[in-house]
Amino acid sequence: MRTQILELHTGGSESITDITRQCDEFVADNGGDGLLNVFVPHSTAGVAIIELGAGSDDDLLANLDDLLPADDRWRHAHGTRGHGRSHVMPAYVAPQTTVPVFSGRLGLGTWQSIAVVDLNVDNPDRTVRLSFLPSG
């Protein structure tokens, strides 16, 4: 298994950060068939496979805001208002995903991208662990 760490700066606002290019380059460097695991070792971020740039990313943030409002209902209540929702979000947008790799290329569909979803405005720096497990 081969691993690479990505360091992201997601900024001080809710964000969806496209990491498809970095994932593509990582599997191309490793070549062959296998599985790419993408993992964010944070309790307040997730990884989504979603179409980006056509409004779906904004729709996802809006839907998460409807589902997990940034208000005072959260028992986990340090940091900015509604910070506790960031700790619940990974139950909806998991902190990992696995993508098949064929001949050193991601097996994504035409409009699919790999993105880090981050609602935590208190921590703008994220780490992403890419792990490639070759077949056979």
Side-chain angles (χ1 to χ4, degrees), residues 1-22:
M1 182 170 72
R2 295 189 179 103
T3 299
Q4 177 181 329
I5 303 296
L6 303 178
E7 300 292 340
L8 299 180
H9 183 75
T10 57
S13 61
E14 298 173 1
S15 66
I16 296 179
T17 304
D18 187 356
I19 61 168
T20 310
R21 180 185 53 78
Q22 295 96 317

Side-chain angles (χ1 to χ4, degrees), residues 65-120:
D65 191 50
D66 290 344
L67 183 64
L68 306 167
D71 58 22
D72 295 327
R73 73 182 70 201
W74 307 100
R75 291 182 184 102
H76 185 105
H78 70 83
T80 57
R81 185 172 189 257
H83 175 77
R85 78 189 192 121
S86 298
H87 288 275
V88 174
M89 195 259 324
Y92 295 94
V93 180
Q96 82 288 325
T97 193
T98 301
V99 179
V101 176
F102 306 102
S103 300
R105 298 190 50 92
L106 294 171
L108 294 172
T110 303
W111 303 111
Q112 291 180 317
S113 296
I114 304 169
V116 173
V117 180
D118 188 0
L119 300 183
N120 184 356

Side-chain angles (χ1 to χ4, degrees), residues 11-12 28-29 39-40 47 49 51 54 81 103-104 111:
D29 288 345
F39 176 69
V40 241
V47 179
I49 295 179
E51 178 181 8
R81 185 172 189 257
S103 300
W111 303 111

